[in-house]
Amino acid sequence: RWALGELRPGSSASGLMTDNGSGSGLAAVAFDIDGVFKYGREWSPDGYSALQRLAAANIPHVFVTNGGGGLTEKSYASGFAAKVTGAASNASDPAPLMSDENMILSYSPWKRALGAELANRRVLLVGDPYDKVTQVAESYGLRRAVHYQDYARRHSTLNPFRQAKEDGGSHTAVDNKTTGAMGSAQRSQQPPAADADDTDPFAAVLVMCDPFEWFEALQCIVDILCSPTPAISEYDPSVPPVPVHFSNPDVLWKAQHPYPRFGQGAFKIALKALYHTRLRSLRVPEETHDEMVASSFRQWGKPTEATFRFLEERLRAFASAPAAGGARAERFYMVGDNPASDIEGVRRANI
């Protein structure tokens, strides 16, 4: 059973314990990070001691965030531990557990939920920084993940603005470097020559985190939604739309700017609108559009039930380990500050 809870500075963690005769903990805690351990750029001096109290009471805990920034769980946990420890007024031993084992990023459930299914399938990977998200995909066993920027480079006409940007010119016909006879206009409208992989359909699109190049990413995904072999056919009505997995539903997030900035949820809104528009241009019956979107778009991250079930299973595994007393966790507490993600996620998990 999920519930909302909090650990205030100076409070005892014993209230989360249930005595079953052996002293084993039957409670487990999931912590949000932003708004709990940090406020803007400031890290709480009380986070470290709160985690120590949990450890002393033998209560398993995990950290769950809709962020990740394309980092591996190990890398994110290392940075998190350094910040929490550095902010502590007295970071004494023993140090609480802050590792990849109990760090759940927005895309962490994908390793188990999607890794085996997509291990040898062609998938489009969306997110930046490039080197970091590709490293995560590799660690999840996704051997044929293609980053959206690599795909755009390989198909040079996909993004008419990329070459213009690199050349410092304009994408318009009168200013670009393309030359040729009048008949070449018809030839230029044909799909580019396919490479060896282009006959193999994409099996999924994974939006791991925010892409730096929205236009290019949106164009790639819409092309794949219209046809799983977009270099060969413009639209393929014989197959259902490719699944598009979004790791984070947040439309806005707090960055260094004084006002919230658009996040992955905004990218999803833009993609949905453009997909609808593209389907209309292809004269796909309007009444089928919503069903196509619903069958394709798949959301992860807080407050989705899928993410809360994943972290619940992770907490149960920690509680049942011999080091934690081998007990079955029965009560789960979410410590968070956001009603739209933390509280709503608890509500959904109790359905």
Side-chain angles (χ1 to χ4, degrees):
R1 180 74 179 176
W2 277 93
L4 288 169
E6 61 179 336
L7 289 177
R8 295 187 179 91
S11 67
S12 171
S14 60
L16 298 180
M17 298 290 292
T18 296
D19 184 5
N20 65 349
S22 64
S24 297
L26 293 180
V29 182
F31 287 102
D32 182 25
I33 293 177
D34 291 318
V36 176
F37 289 92
K38 64 188 279 289
Y39 315 96
R41 295 285 173 177
E42 299 295 322
W43 289 79
S44 170
D46 302 308
Y48 189 92
S49 59
L51 293 174
Q52 278 188 316
R53 288 196 294 276
L54 280 182
N58 212 25
I59 297 175
H61 64 277
V62 298
F63 308 100
V64 56
T65 174
N66 272 351
L71 301 177
T72 63
E73 287 79 5
K74 183 176 181 179
S75 178
Y76 196 100
S78 176
F80 173 77
K83 295 292 187 182
V84 171
T85 304
S89 54
N90 182 22
S92 59
D93 290 331
L97 180 64
M98 293 179 280
S99 75
D100 57 323
E101 297 179 73
N102 64 339
M103 181 62 66
I104 299 175
L105 309 180
S106 63
Y107 39 83
S108 293
W110 290 355
K111 182 174 184 178
R112 191 191 65 186
L114 304 176
E117 174 191 352
L118 299 175
N120 296 306
R121 306 285 300 280
R122 196 176 185 215
V123 300
L124 186 77
L125 184 63
V126 176
D128 286 294
Y130 172 93
D131 58 337
K132 297 188 184 302
V133 298
T134 52
Q135 181 183 7
V136 172
E138 183 179 350
S139 73
Y140 287 4
L142 302 172
R143 302 193 232 345
R144 300 194 59 206
V146 180
H147 193 268
Y148 77 99
Q149 291 193 43
D150 281 341
Y151 185 77
R153 289 188 191 99
R154 194 175 302 159
H155 302 85
S156 59
T157 61
L158 183 148
N159 179 359
F161 305 106
R162 171 181 278 276
Q163 192 62 51
K165 179 181 177 181
E166 293 173 354
D167 292 343
S170 170
H171 65 282
T172 61
V174 297
D175 192 49
N176 65 31
K177 295 178 172 58
T178 303
T179 60
M182 293 271 297
S184 65
Q186 285 82 11
R187 290 194 295 275
S188 67
Q189 294 174 9
Q190 299 302 314
D195 64 25
D197 285 333
D198 282 338
T199 56
D200 188 16
F202 280 97
V205 175
L206 303 180
V207 185
M208 183 173 289
C209 53
D210 301 290
F212 291 165
E213 301 292 341
W214 267 42
F215 175 89
E216 192 161 271
L218 288 166
Q219 187 69 73
C220 286
I221 300 174
V222 170
D223 286 353
I224 291 171
L225 282 168
C226 291
S227 169
T229 52
I232 296 173
S233 62
E234 181 181 21
Y235 180 63
D236 187 351
S238 68
V239 293
V242 167
V244 182
H245 297 271
F246 300 90
S247 74
N248 177 356
D250 295 344
V251 175
L252 298 170
W253 67 293
K254 181 63 176 168
Q256 287 181 287
H257 194 272
Y259 312 122
R261 302 290 85 188
F262 289 134
Q264 193 184 130
F267 180 83
K268 179 181 177 181
I269 291 171
L271 176 61
K272 182 178 179 180
L274 290 170
Y275 184 34
H276 276 293
T277 300
R278 188 69 178 102
L279 290 174
R280 290 189 197 101
S281 75
L282 293 165
R283 303 190 185 281
V284 177
E286 190 88 23
E287 60 271 17
T288 67
H289 294 187
D290 287 342
E291 181 182 349
M292 294 173 75
V293 169
S295 68
S296 176
F297 286 25
R298 305 183 185 178
Q299 187 65 66
W300 301 76
K302 297 183 298 180
T304 65
E305 186 177 356
T307 288
F308 272 80
R309 291 304 176 207
F310 176 80
L311 66 92
E312 180 178 327
E313 290 172 13
R314 182 67 62 86
L315 285 169
R316 286 190 187 278
F318 274 123
S320 63
R328 176 179 172 83
E330 299 290 351
R331 295 182 295 132
F332 303 93
Y333 290 82
M334 179 72 213
V335 181
D337 71 317
N338 189 337
S341 60
D342 304 315
I343 296 175
E344 177 62 15
V346 169
R347 187 193 70 80
R348 293 187 188 185
N350 279 332
I351 293 176

